[in-house]
Amino acid sequence: MTKYPPEPYRIKMVEPIRMTTREDRERAIKKAGYNTFLLDSEDVYIDLLTDSGTSAMSDNQWSGLMQGDEAYAGSKNWHNLRDTVQKVFGYKYVVPTHQGRGAENILSKIMIKEGDYIPGNMYFTTTRAHQELAGGNFRDVIINEAHDPNSNHPFKGNVDLEKYQNLINEVGPEKIPYIAVGVTVNMAGGQPVSMENLKQVRDISKKHGIKVIFDATRCVENSYFIKEREKGYEDKSISEILKEMMSLGDGATMSGKKDPLVNIGGFLALNDKSLYQKATQLVVVYEGMPSYGGMSGRDMEAMARGIYESLDYHYIEHRVNQLQYLGDKLDEAGIPIVKPVGGHAVYLDASKFLSHIPREEFPAQTLAANIYLDSGVRCMERGAVSAGRDKDGNNIYPNLETVRLTVPRRVYTYAHLDVVADSVIKLYEKRDQLVGLRFTYEAPVLRFFTARFEPVK
């Protein structure tokens, strides 16, 4: 029997959660237009919508909140956060933002020109939206295994070097300001990138004068996978691996709401002084002063402390193994999931789970709504609804049509995950009874946040 590591913490405070009835949930999901994003949290029993901003902070972080220096400029907490990022990540310059998409917005505006191409190892919703709004064209250069939910490739987030080089040959390096490399890759199932692949990406990029920019949102999880799966790194610390990984890039965007273990905040880190100066000009317009960027002093202090806490091996081992535990329970029951299990979520293969529902009736959205109906567990769609429409107005149907069961950090126990697994397994047994959904409202950009649906009759 597989042994999973116990929680490396004690619970000092609890928050009651409400168990709802089926009738309660039917009213709630109908009111929300069958979109789990539009549910009220008080109507949710176990919330696996996202790991963004939902972490439980430590006693050390909470004590840091009491030391918030809320000066408008030059806060001591800003200096602590800046110094922490420089030490842990190794970049010279730091621009604070209110969250990761603030950093994506600024990066896109200072680096992308109309008609540019931005290769990346699979798209992420907000990242691609900012790139396209800045006039750029996203091009997927991830390895083919990433689009196959049954592939057990240990580093499915890797960049396909041939695809990358072919794009350079096709459009010219002058049309590629940077390659965006997610570590890990969210839309592929939280899949990591190997250090060897990153070195090869760095070499190709350097040869052609193209910058490498990381989406470092879950870089600690990626570092853990490198330690566990890549030869030569088994004896290195998480901190050492992370520092080496970041040294292969020219900058990074960060959502502090994930690996840094806080509820709000982010930053853009860079090595190029001229880009940094452009970023500080825009952060004043869109976020706030270059010494707080949309965060309070107490938030910056909590993030600085959370960054160090995230590097603890016992913490990250437990965090990833919680996901493995849930994935193993589902896989053993015959539930189709994306393999191998990633670092922040278990992804259900909705196309196989609901194979009788056509793509244009959004099986992933349907599955997420019905998991909530069955048990009060909230999760989210990661398929055609998230992918949006192309420039001609047609739905984009990605190879992966998934439902993401995202586990917040330091929040739930293995017993909570048992409830989640039992609900999914029970729903799978009566999957043929479920019917698809159709739009009643959709926004033109990032529609999955606010779209509304109704069942197909």
Side-chain angles (χ1 to χ4, degrees):
M1 183 177 178
T2 304
K3 294 286 289 182
Y4 303 91
E7 286 79 4
Y9 50 80
R10 289 189 298 242
I11 299 170
K12 299 175 71 172
M13 183 176 70
V14 297
E15 175 190 358
I17 53 179
R18 184 169 71 96
M19 299 181 69
T20 57
T21 66
R22 173 80 183 198
E23 291 73 22
D24 292 333
R25 297 192 292 273
E26 286 176 349
R27 285 192 294 270
I29 197 66
K30 186 175 182 180
K31 179 183 175 183
Y34 297 86
N35 185 347
T36 53
F37 274 97
L38 301 180
L39 290 166
D40 292 331
S41 65
E42 65 180 4
D43 294 324
V44 174
Y45 176 42
I46 297 174
D47 202 343
L48 306 187
L49 183 72
T50 181
D51 61 331
S52 179
T54 56
S55 300
M57 292 199 299
S58 68
D59 53 356
N60 180 46
Q61 288 177 289
W62 279 103
S63 68
L65 294 181
M66 302 305 295
Q67 299 178 40
D69 174 6
E70 306 306 337
Y72 188 76
S75 161
K76 66 180 181 181
N77 308 121
W78 154 242
H79 290 295
N80 190 17
L81 175 60
R82 181 200 60 195
D83 294 348
T84 298
V85 173
Q86 289 174 336
K87 181 178 180 180
V88 172
F89 294 85
Y91 294 115
K92 295 178 182 178
Y93 306 106
V94 185
V95 181
T97 59
H98 77 284
Q99 62 183 81
R101 69 193 59 171
E104 292 171 349
N105 177 44
I106 292 171
L107 176 72
S108 298
K109 287 183 179 298
I110 64 176
M111 292 197 69
I112 298 173
K113 303 186 302 297
E114 186 73 33
D116 279 349
Y117 288 81
I118 303 89
N121 53 343
M122 199 172 283
Y123 83 98
F124 183 65
T125 52
T126 60
T127 310
R128 189 183 69 185
H130 284 121
Q131 291 168 351
E132 291 176 348
L133 288 170
N137 301 282
F138 169 79
R139 184 70 67 88
D140 189 359
V141 293
I142 202 167
I143 59 174
N144 291 335
E145 289 87 344
H147 297 285
D148 179 4
N150 296 310
S151 170
N152 274 302
H153 192 294
F155 292 102
K156 288 170 75 172
N158 280 357
V159 171
D160 186 312
L161 303 175
E162 183 176 354
K163 290 180 183 177
Y164 182 29
Q165 185 63 61
N166 286 343
L167 176 63
I168 295 172
N169 296 341
E170 175 190 341
V171 304
E174 68 280 357
K175 298 289 288 184
I176 304 175
Y178 64 93
I179 179 172
V181 183
V183 285
T184 58
V185 182
N186 188 340
M187 303 300 281
Q191 303 297 330
V193 186
S194 72
M195 194 76 80
E196 177 60 28
N197 184 252
L198 291 175
K199 290 177 180 177
Q200 294 170 322
V201 170
R202 185 270 318 269
D203 291 344
I204 293 174
S205 302
K206 188 175 182 180
K207 175 182 176 181
H208 294 285
I210 299 169
K211 293 190 182 299
V212 177
I213 302 293
F214 291 118
D215 178 347
T217 294
R218 298 180 180 89
C219 57
V220 175
E221 293 169 11
N222 202 107
S223 300
Y224 173 82
F225 284 123
I226 288 175
K227 180 177 177 66
E228 295 298 311
R229 298 178 183 176
E230 192 164 359
K231 186 177 180 180
Y233 289 91
E234 56 273 7
D235 295 326
K236 290 185 178 292
S237 69
I238 299 296
S239 179
E240 289 171 328
I241 295 170
L242 176 59
K243 190 74 168 286
E244 180 179 345
M245 182 165 54
M246 292 295 107
S247 74
L248 300 174
D250 299 284
T253 59
M254 168 62 82
S255 171
K257 300 167 69 177
K258 282 84 167 179
D259 273 353
L261 295 165
V262 289
N263 307 126
I264 198 68
F267 60 79
L268 171 63
L270 297 162
N271 280 333
D272 187 303
K273 187 174 182 179
S274 64
L275 285 176
Y276 166 70
Q277 290 173 334
K278 292 178 181 178
T280 57
Q281 294 166 16
L282 286 186
V283 78
V284 174
V285 176
Y286 292 106
E287 303 280 329
M289 280 287 289
S291 59
Y292 73 87
M295 282 187 283
S296 65
R298 53 185 175 269
D299 291 327
M300 290 189 285
E301 184 64 30
M303 189 191 297
R305 297 183 183 208
I307 288 172
Y308 283 116
E309 290 181 14
S310 72
L311 302 175
D312 175 67
Y313 177 79
H314 298 292
Y315 151 73
I316 191 60
E317 178 194 33
H318 170 263
R319 193 279 188 285
V320 173
N321 272 273
Q322 272 201 316
L323 274 299
Q324 192 63 54
Y325 174 81
L326 177 58
D328 287 347
K329 291 204 72 169
L330 295 174
D331 189 39
E332 289 165 6
I335 307 300
I337 64 172
V338 174
K339 300 176 182 178
V341 174
H344 72 287
V346 174
Y347 287 67
L348 306 177
D349 185 349
S351 292
K352 287 188 176 180
F353 197 113
L354 299 178
S355 58
H356 65 289
I357 295 180
R359 293 295 297 274
E360 58 268 22
E361 293 180 8
F362 310 116
Q365 190 74 37
T366 299
L367 181 54
N370 279 278
I371 290 172
Y372 171 76
L373 272 171
D374 179 73
S375 58
V377 173
R378 174 160 67 169
C379 50
M380 70 176 294
E381 181 269 0
R382 275 297 182 233
V385 176
S386 292
R389 296 183 182 272
D390 61 24
K391 293 180 179 179
D392 296 322
N394 300 309
N395 281 315
I396 299 171
Y397 295 110
N399 291 333
L400 295 178
E401 178 78 10
T402 64
V403 167
R404 192 179 80 177
L405 304 170
T406 328
V407 179
R409 297 162 181 81
R410 304 190 296 203
V411 172
Y412 294 116
T413 66
Y414 290 110
H416 287 109
L417 301 183
D418 286 338
V419 174
V420 176
D422 290 345
S423 176
V424 173
I425 292 167
K426 183 172 69 173
L427 201 58
Y428 189 62
E429 293 170 353
K430 57 180 181 181
R431 59 192 181 278
D432 292 340
Q433 301 174 24
L434 305 186
V435 298
L437 298 171
R438 61 185 171 213
F439 280 112
T440 61
Y441 167 76
E442 63 173 302
V445 179
L446 299 174
R447 64 185 185 179
F448 64 94
F449 283 123
T450 58
R452 303 184 71 86
F453 304 86
E454 64 181 7
V456 173
K457 304 288 185 179

